[in-house]
């Protein structure tokens, strides 16, 4: 299957690499491919520049958002949650129409602590669905570190992943994708329609705050997972 993974940060790279390992074709979407490839310095948390990462993953393509979205039969939103709508607008409604979009991002405003924007009475998942009514949005994988997203065995014992969305067939296809990542059959909990995205997004600030208060040196890594580069 052909996937467009929008976003060049940790989560986007991790998802893209896993999809390729499963035999899928993948193009990563970014605002400006030439600018992305021209970066030579590590990012703000020390990850190698995208060009260096791509050298180690030559099967992964890179294109502007619109070209990537047109390529993908399905789309993964791994952009920064606070700029996801802008990125998806650049991808183009005509390139997204009728496709399943797995929304793994959280609208974290790190300048405030972190906090959600929007939050409580709305969610990024709902905003995306309203802005692109022909898109089949499924919120998933946004409650955990990106390494766990694609390899749940990194966490010992039974644990769960949540999905929600308005389209039953889309949720079924995302559930199958999660199973291919290693999530057991009974680990996927369907919370219902896309309104439930506001509840799963609420989990992000608490686990990020816990990491911060426990003094984890990789706190900024997890912050970037919640809000990836484009």
């Amino acid at each position: 299957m052909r996937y467009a993974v929008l976003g060049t940060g940790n989560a986007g790279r991790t998802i893209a690499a896993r999809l390729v390992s499963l035999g899928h074709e993948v193009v990563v979407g970014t605002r400006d491919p030439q600018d992305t490839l021209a970066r030579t310095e590590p990012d703000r948390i020390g990850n190698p520049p995208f060009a260096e990462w791509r050298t180690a993953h030559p099967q992964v393509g890179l294109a502007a958002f619109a070209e990537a979205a047109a390529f993908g039969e399905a789309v993964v939103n791994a952009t920064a949650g606070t700029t996801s709508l802008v990125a998806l607008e650049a991808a183009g409604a005509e390139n997204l129409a009728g496709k399943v979009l797995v929304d793994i991002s959280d609208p974290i405003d790190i300048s405030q602590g972190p906090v959600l924007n929007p939050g409580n009475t709305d969610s990024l998942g709902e905003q995306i669905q309203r802005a692109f009514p022909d898109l089949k949005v499924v919120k998933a994988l946004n409650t955990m570190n990106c390494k766990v997203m694609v390899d749940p065995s990194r966490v010992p014992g039974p644990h769960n992943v949540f999905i929600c969305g308005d389209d039953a067939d889309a949720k079924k296809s995302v559930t199958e994708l999660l199973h291919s990542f290693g999530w057991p059959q009974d680990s996927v909990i369907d919370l219902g329609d896309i309104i439930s995205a506001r509840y799963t997004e609420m989990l992000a600030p608490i686990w990020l705050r816990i990491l911060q208060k426990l003094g984890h040196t990789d706190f900024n890594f997890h912050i970037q997972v919640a809000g990836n580069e484009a």
Side-chain angles (χ1 to χ4, degrees):
M1 190 169 180
R2 299 193 308 274
Y3 279 91
V5 177
L6 307 183
T8 61
N10 273 309
R13 298 182 194 191
T14 302
I15 293 286
R18 184 68 169 120
L19 289 169
V20 165
S21 75
L22 293 170
H24 300 290
E25 298 178 68
V26 180
V27 169
V28 170
T30 186
R31 285 185 296 267
D32 184 335
Q34 290 185 340
D35 180 66
T36 296
L37 291 174
R39 296 170 190 160
T40 58
E41 298 297 322
D43 66 17
R44 58 187 176 183
I45 57 171
N47 289 312
F50 186 84
E52 182 177 331
W53 177 86
R54 192 182 174 208
T55 298
H57 301 84
Q59 308 97 319
V60 178
L62 181 70
F65 285 133
E67 184 182 349
F71 167 86
E73 298 172 280
V75 182
V76 178
N77 175 37
T79 62
T82 52
T83 60
S84 288
L85 288 173
V86 174
L88 290 167
E89 287 169 3
E94 69 280 6
N95 296 321
L96 298 170
K99 297 178 180 178
V100 175
L101 180 135
V102 187
D103 179 26
I104 70 172
S105 294
D106 289 309
I108 295 292
D109 182 354
I110 60 175
S111 69
Q112 298 296 316
V115 297
L116 291 174
N117 184 20
N120 195 32
T121 58
D122 200 4
S123 66
L124 175 60
E126 291 171 88
Q127 287 188 333
I128 294 172
Q129 188 63 83
R130 287 196 302 269
F132 301 91
D134 295 328
L135 191 61
K136 301 172 184 179
V137 180
V138 179
K139 193 81 184 186
L141 296 171
N142 62 303
T143 59
M144 65 196 72
N145 176 277
C146 60
K147 293 181 180 180
V148 179
M149 294 179 189
V150 300
D151 183 10
S153 67
R154 295 176 67 92
V155 177
H159 49 104
N160 298 98
V161 58
F162 307 110
I163 65 169
C164 62
D166 294 339
D167 188 283
D169 289 337
K171 287 191 286 188
K172 181 179 178 181
S173 70
V174 172
T175 297
E176 292 171 352
L177 176 65
L178 295 175
H179 292 332
S180 74
F181 284 173
W183 290 93
Q185 191 77 28
D186 60 354
S187 68
V188 182
I189 298 179
D190 183 350
L191 297 178
D193 61 22
I194 195 60
I195 290 175
S196 293
R198 65 185 67 171
Y199 311 127
T200 65
E201 289 176 11
M202 285 179 184
L203 294 174
I206 183 62
W207 66 265
L208 290 170
R209 187 65 168 173
I210 290 169
L211 285 173
Q212 183 184 42
K213 288 302 181 181
L214 291 177
H216 281 246
T217 57
D218 57 353
F219 171 70
N220 286 332
F221 168 81
H222 295 286
I223 281 287
Q224 194 189 23
V225 170
N228 279 283
E229 298 177 355

